[in-house]
Structure formats: structure tokens, C-alpha cells
Amino acid sequence: MIRRYTFGNPVDTDAVFRHLPAEDGNVPYFTLSRDGEKVILTVSLSPDEILFGLGESVRGINKRGFLFRSWCSDVFNHTESTESLYGSHNLLVFFSPSRLFGVYLDDPGLVTWDLGYTRSDTAVITSENGNLDLYIIEEDSLCGIARAFRRLTGRSYLPPRWAFGYIQSRWGYASEQEIRAVTEEHRKRHIPLDAVCMDIDYMVDFRNFTWKPDAFPDLKKFSAELKEDHLRLVPIIDAGIPASPGEPAYDSGKACGAFCKKEDGSDFVAAVWPGRCVFPDFLRADVRTWFGDLYRPLLEAGIEGFWNDMNEPALFFTDEGISDAFSRAGQFRDGQVEYETMWFIKDAFNGIANNMADYRRFYHTVEGRSVRHDRVHNLYGAHMTRASAEGFRRFDPDRRFLLFSRSSFIGAHRNGGLWQGDNFSWWSHLKMALQMLPNLNLCGFLYSGCDLGGFGCNVTEDLLERFLQLGVFTPLMRNHSALHTREQEIYRFSTWEIMRDTVSVRYALLPFLYSEFMKAALTDGMYFRPLAFDYPADARAVRVEDQLMLGEGCMIAPVLEQNAVGRYVYLPEDMLMVRFRSASDYDLIPLDKGDHRISLGLNEFPLFMKKDHPLLICAGGESSETLDDRHFTVLCRTDRPVGYDLYRDDGTDPRPDLSASLTHMTFDPSQAPASRVPGVAISSVLL
Ligand code: GLC
């Protein structure tokens, strides 16, 4: 059951899909108080209470014990003490033996979540602006809450099937030649690959919707040639449009008054990669239509996928911010600088980027009203995603396009996926990525993944390999790295064959993983789940922080530490461990419920299958389009006939039909050839 409570005068955020009448009574579970505009919700936490949710945020799967702020932020340098990341996902689920409920704040402004931080036995949720719809979700299971929330907010985005292939990306690829060198090297060494991302260097002076004529003399031809080889290009689009008269995107936007305004009615200007930019008011439907149509030349050139960036929006600086900083620092110009004043001067400039004062300098038009940006800040990226998705649908309503964004808000999960922002080549960020995934799924963002290998700083061979081992299972499997860091393509490393074999496992599992993804998305389920969702009564399982349930019958437990050659795994029931080294080289080890020490050399990673749940492995291949998804090796720990529904479609149909796309297979161990592993049946199946 879901109940809605309204505070103040909320704007329509587009997060909620199903309208519910507002309740009159008190909000259950919480004590409500106010402080000026703020709406403050307080609830005590029992010692055994676990909190799930908040989508893209730092720290553990269990969010208890820290202070989080929902404020979409460009945070290149995030660590475990960072309170806000790129997206804002205001769903929190309270789970203990004595109660289970979810709270969702449909609030586009700043929300703080003091989850046992100030007092370990209390959670305090504060809406800073006090204009919101609050939803209380009650169901009898964690999975039920996830499903009810999705029914409220709408079905998750479906990417095309090729988007489940391996994607190579790097900030710096600047020409056809460079991209060709990357694709050729992958093909030459048989490293599977489906797409290459084009970062800002493909553009003329980083200007959206342009491409360098010398570097890409015939983009349409280039893209068509790559497609012959089952490869796609995925260009980046940033939020800001250069404020340069003569620039087509600027001129057409200016003509329809599309940009966010300052109080005096002039366009708000801030610097991002191309220099001084204006910012489309994505909250307006007419602006979304104008912006969505700007993608057309790229779509006409055969592009079928995009990543939207810098859409928190990131603001490097404004002229007003610079002048404030000079005047604050300037007051010490004529005196002797002491160490305190030195810090003051430094801080005056340190805080210039993504400054709150700048977020208060501009306005949107929402439902005919002028609304200051900071009050609806968290909608910006989500509505950019919406503009793009709407544009793609207008361009070709019969095709699914790849779209993933850096910034997001609930609601954006219907229009695109996300990548987990600018991580670092750190082991701690590998773990953080894993821990974020189930909470992103809970909030509806099924198509997600991190920059494999890490974006910032220099990766090591073993870290990239362990990132790829997680990436085998993440719907978005993209290797991305920053300019000036160590080159991170697989073939740059002496252990490239190990990495190739790891990627080959993704391709051998691709039909199965795609099937698990599509079934989760189409039934409003979760692709990744905390173990608690499947084993709520198992006191050990509910606290597991480094293993995830995947699809209907699988569990993953990647190695997350340097120099480790194994790890402990907790099995909440009897399972089959499939320890992969490549698509054709793996061990099958039945393990019983309980704790196990698993040995995992650098080239090995496990997938655990619940009993009676078959795993389908195909021969693999070098692109998602050339896989043979009719011949499978099926394996299962079972002693009775079991069924599996494989989801197969053309991979691009935007109106998928779940029941029409399922191929049911029955797997009967008594018909399978004698198995070398007792209790595990293996056979070849032709569908
Ligand atoms: C931002 C993005 C990153 C991209 C870079 C240059 O930092 O998060 O992925 O490579 O901008 O466009």
C-alpha cells in the first residue's frame, strides 16, 4: 500500500507516474516538525534496523550511520566522506524484524538524511524547502516494496541489446584514426567489443552537436563502416551550450528563449568545458523538444547511443563568483598574510566551482512560475535525460536507443541508465561501486555500471582485472579513464589475455544476463539485490555488504582487495559455484549453505547459482550481434527437471512483449549425459 502526503506547494517533478490522492492524517512512523521552511521527519531506529536505498551514494549497502545530502553534485574527488554524489534518489527502506516500510520524498531541492549520524538510534530526514510529496510504502517483503515503488514511478529504461556488450571509452579519443586504432586492436586480439565512446574531444572546441570536420570527415560513413563490424559509436553530450552568437545551437535556443535566466531576465552564464555557456531550461516542455531535436544530425549520421554529462549542472565558475572571490581575497592585499588569512584567501577560490551562490543566481520556468534553480536543482540532469529520450522517440519510435547520464533523479530511470560518475582507480572505489548497485536498482536504475578500471589516477593491471570481473555482471560494462592517466585499454597491459578471457565470459553469459535484466525490468523487479531481499530471515545474509543477488537465481562475490587470491563468501543456501577463467574454462563446485573460503587467482571469478536454477552459457563471440544464442551449455545443481524462461527479442523493440519473448526450456538431469560433478547436470541445448 502506498500513501501520499503533501507539504507546501510542490512542483511536478515527473518522478511519479501514478497519481494518488493526498492523505489528510499524520504521516505514520515519523514525528513531524518544522523549522522555517524546513519539514523535518524524525524516527527512532531499533538496534537491529537496516536501511536500504538512496541510490547513488557512498558507503555501504546498509545506509545507516552517516549523513547524506540529496544534492546532485559534480564530485570528481569523492571519497567515503562525500555526502552527495551525481544523482539524488530519495527512497529509503526501513527493515527490521519488527517493521518494514519505505519512505520516498518527491522533493527536487536539498534533502538531508541523518541516518543515525547525530544519534545512532535516530534518523532525521529534512526537506530544506518544505515543498514535497511524501510517500509511505508498506508491503510484506523488501522485493514487494521495490516493486510497489516502481509501479508508482514507472518501468525502468530498456537499453538495446548491443548496450550489454563491452564498451571502450577514454577521455582523449579525438579522431576516426584513433578510434579505428582502438577497434582494430580489439578485433586483432579477439577482445570482444560492441561500442566506443566519443568523449568531448570529438567536438569542435567542446561545443555540443558539432564534430571536428578534419578528424571526422564523414561521420555517417565512419559509423556505417563500424556497424558492418558490429561496432557502435557513443558520443557524449554536455548540458551547457556555448554562449556564442553564430553557434547554431545557441542561436536557435536564443530565438526561443530556451536558456535559464538570472533575476534581471538576462541569460545565466557559467563556464564549463567550452568556456562560457548558457543552460537550457530542461524543465520546460518546449525547451526539451528544441534540445531533443538537436541530436538529429548525429542520429542521422547513424548514432544510436549517447551519454549525457555535466548535467548536475556542473558550473566551473561564473563571472560573479570570480569577482566575489577576488573581493574577498583582495581585502588582504595590502596587509601581511598570516596563515589564517592564507587559508581564507585559498578558500575564496577553492569554492568557486559548483558554488551554492551560483545555483541561487538563476531561474527556471515551471508551470508558468519562475522558480529559483536551487529549489529544483536535482531535476536538471533528469530532465536533460528526458529531453534526449523524447527526441530519440520522435526521431525513431521503433527503436531503443542507448542513453546513460551522469546526473539523475527518480523518474529518469524510465528514460535512461546511469554511470556512477568519476571514480578513481582505487580498490575502495571498486567496493563502493558494488555497494551502490543494489540501491540504484531499488530506485529503478537497472542499467548502470561504473567506469571500469577507475576514471581518475593510474590503474594497475590487477585492479583493472578485478574491476572487469565485477563488470562482467553489470548491465553497463564500460572501461573509461581520464585524460593524462595511464592508458587503460585492455591491450595496454601484459596480462591482456586474462582480461580478454574475462570479457569473453560476459559474452558467453550475455543472452542469459540480458534475459535476467529484461525479466527484472519488465516485471518491475531488481537485477541486483542485497542478500536481505532474498533471505530476510537469515540474520547473517541481511548484513552481507560485499555480495549481491543477481537475477532470479544467481549471486556474485567479486574479489575487492589487492593481492588477494581468494575471499570468504557466505552462502545463504546450498549453491553451485561456477569459477570462471574464460568462456570455456571454468570449475563447477557444489557448496553447502554456510561460510566458505574460496580460492580465486587473479584470473578467476565466481558466479554462484541457487539450486534448481539453470545457468545458460553460449559459446561467446566478439560482438553481441554475432553471438549464437541458440546453442547453450546448460548447467544446474539439481536432481529434478527444472524450467527456465529465456527472454529473447530483436534487442531493439521499444514495446517489448514479455510473454511473447520468452522461450521456455525444460532441463531434465535424467536426460543429461553423466556428469563429472556429482549433483550437477550439464548438457547441450539447442533452442
Ligand atoms: C566528466 C565526466 C567524464 C568525462 C569528462 C570529460 O568528468 O564525468 O566521464 O570523461 O567529463 O568529458
Side-chain angles (χ1 to χ4, degrees):
M1 186 176 61
I2 306 187
R3 279 173 284 175
R4 168 175 160 232
Y5 301 84
T6 295
F7 298 88
N9 189 12
V11 299
D12 177 7
T13 63
D14 188 48
V16 166
F17 201 64
R18 192 155 63 90
H19 182 77
L20 298 177
E23 307 271 334
D24 290 331
N26 292 337
V27 179
Y29 303 105
F30 294 97
T31 308
L32 185 74
S33 58
R34 289 171 192 266
D35 173 9
E37 286 191 318
K38 293 182 189 176
V39 168
I40 304 166
L41 297 145
T42 304
V43 59
S44 57
L45 299 171
S46 64
D48 50 5
E49 194 123 29
I50 293 176
L51 306 176
F52 296 111
L54 297 191
E56 193 174 43
S57 51
V58 300
R59 302 217 173 197
I61 297 176
N62 179 355
K63 307 317 291 184
R64 186 166 177 171
F66 193 54
L67 179 80
F68 301 91
R69 288 181 207 278
S70 296
W71 183 260
C72 296
S73 301
D74 167 26
V75 269
F76 170 66
N77 226 330
H78 58 268
T79 64
E80 77 173 59
S81 48
T82 304
E83 293 164 344
S84 310
L85 292 180
Y86 305 84
S88 289
H89 309 130
N90 292 336
L91 172 67
L92 191 71
V93 177
F94 293 71
F95 168 70
S96 74
S98 55
R99 68 176 180 190
L100 171 65
F101 71 98
V103 59
Y104 170 56
L105 272 66
D106 187 5
D107 182 338
L110 174 62
V111 178
T112 60
W113 305 81
D114 179 340
L115 305 182
Y117 166 78
T118 303
R119 280 184 61 109
S120 57
D121 62 355
T122 308
V124 184
I125 305 169
T126 307
S127 161
E128 298 291 325
N129 300 327
N131 293 311
L132 70 151
D133 279 315
L134 181 145
Y135 295 83
I136 299 289
I137 308 165
E138 289 168 311
E139 291 289 328
D140 52 17
S141 69
L142 283 161
C143 289
I145 291 198
R147 192 156 277 126
F149 183 62
R150 203 80 54 71
R151 299 227 160 109
L152 178 72
T153 56
R155 192 183 78 190
S156 293
Y157 159 76
L158 303 172
R161 185 173 179 272
W162 63 264
F164 290 80
Y166 180 60
I167 305 178
Q168 178 57 48
S169 181
R170 179 166 172 86
W171 179 3
Y173 298 157
S175 66
E176 256 186 52
Q177 283 79 353
E178 273 180 72
I179 292 173
R180 256 189 228 286
V182 171
T183 59
E184 281 168 9
E185 204 61 37
H186 280 78
R187 288 289 183 252
K188 191 176 95 196
R189 296 176 190 239
H190 307 293
I191 304 168
L193 185 70
D194 263 78
V196 178
C197 285
M198 296 158 78
D199 206 324
I200 47 173
D201 304 276
Y202 81 87
M203 301 178 192
V204 179
D205 300 328
F206 310 139
R207 283 150 45 198
N208 273 343
F209 308 111
T210 64
W211 57 91
K212 287 181 182 145
D214 303 344
F216 298 93
D218 190 341
L219 186 62
K220 188 170 183 173
K221 185 159 158 264
F222 180 45
S223 133
E225 278 168 18
L226 288 179
K227 259 189 237 180
E228 291 274 292
D229 196 8
H230 311 285
L231 292 163
R232 273 148 175 103
L233 293 168
V234 183
I236 195 169
I237 297 293
D238 284 351
I241 302 276
S244 329
E247 170 81 25
Y250 175 78
D251 289 347
S252 62
K254 186 80 186 157
C256 61
F259 306 123
C260 293
K261 300 277 182 288
K262 293 198 290 193
E263 201 166 7
D264 65 5
S266 62
D267 291 340
F268 170 76
V269 176
V272 206
W273 300 123
R276 285 175 174 68
C277 286
V278 286
F279 295 84
D281 185 354
F282 293 118
L283 275 59
R284 278 171 44 195
D286 60 327
V287 173
R288 286 198 298 277
T289 305
W290 158 77
F291 190 84
D293 286 345
L294 293 177
Y295 287 81
R296 238 159 220 270
L298 285 159
L299 294 165
E300 279 159 2
I303 302 294
E304 295 170 37
F306 294 86
W307 47 311
N308 282 347
D309 192 20
M310 308 304 278
N311 48 3
E312 292 72 25
L315 309 175
F316 292 169
F317 65 85
T318 58
D319 288 336
E320 295 90 333
I322 292 277
S323 121
D324 286 355
F326 273 115
S327 61
R328 270 185 288 139
Q331 57 184 303
F332 301 105
R333 188 196 300 265
D334 301 325
Q336 191 181 332
V337 172
E338 301 299 342
Y339 79 88
E340 300 95 330
T341 39
M342 183 278 285
W343 289 118
F344 186 90
I345 294 168
K346 207 161 156 264
D347 286 350
F349 288 94
N350 267 346
I352 276 183
N354 307 318
N355 190 297
M356 188 54 101
D358 287 333
Y359 289 124
R360 292 196 185 113
R361 282 186 223 282
F362 64 102
Y363 292 77
H364 298 268
T365 303
V366 185
E367 294 151 17
R369 298 188 264 155
S370 177
V371 178
R372 204 174 66 191
H373 173 79
D374 61 304
R375 302 181 76 85
V376 288
H377 171 77
N378 293 334
L379 298 182
Y380 197 76
H383 281 66
M384 179 185 182
T385 302
R386 187 178 175 192
S388 318
E390 289 167 352
F392 303 162
R393 278 196 283 272
R394 277 194 303 278
F395 179 76
D396 186 351
D398 296 324
R399 179 185 290 279
R400 301 205 295 258
F401 287 84
L402 171 59
L403 176 61
F404 54 101
S405 170
R406 196 171 72 175
S407 186
S408 58
F409 187 74
I410 304 281
H413 71 284
R414 297 192 300 272
N415 290 316
L418 61 79
W419 90 98
Q420 293 164 269
D422 293 343
N423 61 356
F424 271 55
S425 298
W426 291 341
W427 293 88
S428 59
H429 275 188
L430 173 56
K431 184 169 183 193
M432 193 187 283
L434 172 113
Q435 292 177 317
M436 246 183 251
L437 288 163
N439 286 320
L440 284 169
N441 273 251
L442 178 56
C443 294
F445 292 91
L446 268 53
Y447 188 77
S448 49
C450 68
D451 285 351
L452 298 174
F455 175 72
C457 72
N458 297 326
V459 76
T460 57
E461 289 191 331
D462 53 351
L463 179 57
L464 177 56
E465 169 58 17
R466 293 300 193 194
F467 258 110
L468 290 168
Q469 293 175 359
L470 170 65
V472 164
F473 301 107
T474 59
L476 168 62
M477 185 189 192
R478 183 178 76 140
N479 176 343
H480 181 50
S481 55
L483 197 65
H484 306 310
T485 59
R486 183 178 185 180
E487 287 171 314
Q488 203 168 283
E489 296 84 3
I490 286 176
Y491 53 79
R492 307 279 181 191
F493 299 93
S494 67
T495 49
W496 68 270
E497 284 158 304
I498 294 181
M499 300 183 198
R500 176 201 59 199
D501 289 350
T502 300
V503 180
S504 78
V505 175
R506 162 61 159 239
Y507 280 72
L509 297 180
L510 200 146
F512 175 78
L513 295 175
Y514 177 71
S515 171
E516 292 300 313
F517 179 96
M518 292 298 282
K519 287 189 285 184
L522 294 174
T523 58
D524 294 329
M526 292 162 70
Y527 172 86
F528 283 128
R529 295 176 304 283
L531 269 59
F533 282 55
D534 289 39
Y535 307 97
D538 179 334
R540 282 287 309 282
V542 297
R543 297 207 168 261
V544 169
E545 285 280 341
D546 58 356
Q547 306 171 200
L548 302 178
M549 302 312 296
L550 182 164
E552 285 168 8
C554 323
M555 184 180 82
I556 61 165
V559 170
L560 304 171
E561 282 172 20
Q562 187 155 32
N563 297 319
V565 289
R567 56 163 289 168
Y568 286 97
V569 179
Y570 175 68
L571 265 55
E573 61 174 286
D574 295 353
M575 291 187 175
L576 169 66
M577 175 170 80
V578 187
R579 183 169 51 198
F580 283 106
R581 284 177 289 277
S582 76
S584 54
D585 181 14
Y586 46 84
D587 307 316
L588 299 177
I589 305 176
L591 293 170
D592 292 342
K593 173 179 161 66
D595 291 292
H596 296 272
R597 171 83 198 166
I598 311 292
S599 114
L600 296 163
L602 183 60
N603 62 337
E604 295 178 314
F605 58 100
L607 175 64
F608 297 88
M609 299 299 301
K610 292 183 188 177
K611 260 181 159 176
D612 305 326
H613 284 267
L615 177 65
L616 277 64
I617 305 177
C618 74
E622 292 185 32
S623 78
S624 64
E625 288 179 336
T626 54
L627 289 176
D628 175 358
D629 67 355
R630 294 183 61 234
H631 291 86
F632 291 99
T633 299
V634 181
L635 44 94
C636 188
R637 182 175 180 185
T638 192
D639 50 15
R640 60 177 176 84
V642 291
Y644 183 76
D645 289 316
L646 182 70
Y647 184 96
R648 279 192 303 181
D649 62 1
D650 70 356
T652 63
D653 183 355
R655 288 169 287 275
D657 180 337
L658 179 63
S659 51
S661 303
L662 293 177
T663 306
H664 184 76
M665 53 161 275
T666 309
F667 182 62
D668 184 350
S670 68
Q671 306 294 312
S675 164
R676 58 194 158 90
V677 187
V680 180
I682 309 168
S683 73
S684 300
V685 171
L686 172 64
L687 290 181

